Amino acid sequence: MDLKLRVYSVLIVSASEKMSRSLTQLLPEGRYSPVCVVKDVGAAKRTVLERSFDIVIINTPLPDDFGARFAADLCQSSSVCVLMLVRSEQYGEICSKVTPYGVLAISKPTSSQILLESVMLLCGMRERLRRMEKRAATVEDKMEEIRIVNRAKWALIEELKMTEADAHRYIEKQAMDRCITRRAVAEEIIRTYK
């Protein structure tokens, strides 16, 4: 997939209006939209509850909290990608705390080029997470189908005294003969006998 086709939503958490303005100007609207800006962790927590974001950029420190715990919590509880900007004298300590959670930290001051490259890395990470989420959803759907088919088999075994092999063949044959999924057949059986 071409990354240029995707538009990423961004939340900037920064007490510095100058940094917020710089970051907003750095992110072209055709590629990053919407770009929301809040000034502290409290507002950021409320904002992420209201809507989801692809990328969160945290310019530390923040007035109500440093931001490291918030960054780690975001990465653990959602598929958002987080970039933390940390003063160079605190970088080593903070980086070692947040990196295990999947937070990307860079020291500041930094250049626009490094910021853009970091955001592009996050875009790549976000796409990888999207693919993994899609795979996980597919596996969960298949597991749910297996559970439903098994419930239908047990209904046939209990109600019609079929063997498990016969119940399995019956569901398979019904699905093929009627050109519908095994799950649809199983759901009909469950409705009929339960």
Side-chain angles (χ1 to χ4, degrees), residues 42 50-51 107 164 184:
E50 293 170 4
R51 74 174 315 269
S107 65
E164 186 176 357

Side-chain angles (χ1 to χ4, degrees), residues 1-90:
M1 178 182 156
D2 186 4
L3 288 178
K4 292 180 183 176
L5 299 177
R6 178 82 65 187
V7 176
Y8 298 92
S9 56
V10 180
L11 174 64
I12 297 171
V13 187
S14 176
S16 164
E17 286 188 35
K18 181 180 177 187
M19 179 61 90
S20 297
R21 197 170 30 258
S22 296
L23 286 168
T24 303
Q25 291 171 352
L26 195 64
L27 304 172
E29 192 174 316
R31 180 72 190 261
Y32 304 97
S33 179
V35 176
C36 301
V37 180
V38 295
K39 294 184 180 293
D40 56 45
V41 171
K45 286 180 180 179
R46 287 188 297 277
T47 304
V48 296
L49 286 175
E50 293 170 4
R51 74 174 315 269
S52 61
F53 291 93
D54 295 309
I55 298 169
V56 175
I57 301 172
I58 303 171
N59 179 34
T60 65
L62 296 164
D64 57 344
D65 186 40
F66 185 81
R69 171 59 34 211
F70 173 63
D73 289 346
L74 271 178
C75 285
Q76 282 190 301
S77 65
S78 68
S79 58
V80 68
C81 296
V82 180
L83 172 64
M84 278 187 76
L85 306 173
V86 183
R87 289 184 184 139
S88 58
E89 59 270 8
Q90 298 171 306

Side-chain angles (χ1 to χ4, degrees), residues 7-194:
V7 176
Y8 298 92
S9 56
V10 180
L11 174 64
I12 297 171
V13 187
S14 176
S16 164
E17 286 188 35
K18 181 180 177 187
M19 179 61 90
S20 297
R21 197 170 30 258
S22 296
L23 286 168
T24 303
Q25 291 171 352
L26 195 64
L27 304 172
E29 192 174 316
R31 180 72 190 261
Y32 304 97
S33 179
V35 176
C36 301
V37 180
V38 295
K39 294 184 180 293
D40 56 45
V41 171
K45 286 180 180 179
R46 287 188 297 277
T47 304
V48 296
L49 286 175
E50 293 170 4
R51 74 174 315 269
S52 61
F53 291 93
D54 295 309
I55 298 169
V56 175
I57 301 172
I58 303 171
N59 179 34
T60 65
L62 296 164
D64 57 344
D65 186 40
F66 185 81
R69 171 59 34 211
F70 173 63
D73 289 346
L74 271 178
C75 285
Q76 282 190 301
S77 65
S78 68
S79 58
V80 68
C81 296
V82 180
L83 172 64
M84 278 187 76
L85 306 173
V86 183
R87 289 184 184 139
S88 58
E89 59 270 8
Q90 298 171 306
Y91 177 77
E93 175 191 348
I94 299 301
C95 188
S96 66
K97 287 181 182 176
V98 298
T99 299
Y101 295 97
V103 177
L104 177 62
I106 60 174
S107 65
K108 60 180 184 179
T110 188
S111 69
S112 297
Q113 182 66 31
I114 289 177
L115 277 172
L116 270 177
E117 289 172 4
S118 299
V119 170
M120 287 303 297
L121 278 170
L122 293 179
C123 292
M125 286 174 36
R126 184 65 186 107
E127 290 310 310
R128 186 167 188 217
L129 287 171
R130 265 188 239 281
R131 286 191 305 275
M132 291 171 66
E133 288 169 342
K134 195 179 266 188
R135 266 189 244 129
T138 302
V139 169
E140 288 174 22
D141 289 345
K142 286 181 183 179
M143 289 175 61
E144 182 63 19
E145 179 183 330
I146 290 168
R147 283 195 276 288
I148 290 170
V149 168
N150 283 339
R151 282 180 46 210
K153 282 186 205 177
W154 283 109
L156 291 172
I157 290 167
E158 289 174 3
E159 299 296 326
L160 301 180
K161 308 301 183 214
M162 290 184 177
T163 65
E164 186 176 357
D166 289 340
H168 180 79
R169 274 191 295 278
Y170 176 81
I171 293 170
E172 292 282 331
K173 183 161 179 20
Q174 286 292 311
M176 285 190 299
D177 290 350
R178 296 169 56 198
C179 296
I180 60 175
T181 64
R182 293 178 337 136
R183 182 178 182 148
V185 171
E187 287 170 342
E188 288 176 6
I189 291 168
I190 291 168
R191 279 194 300 274
T192 302
Y193 294 109
K194 295 294 177 181

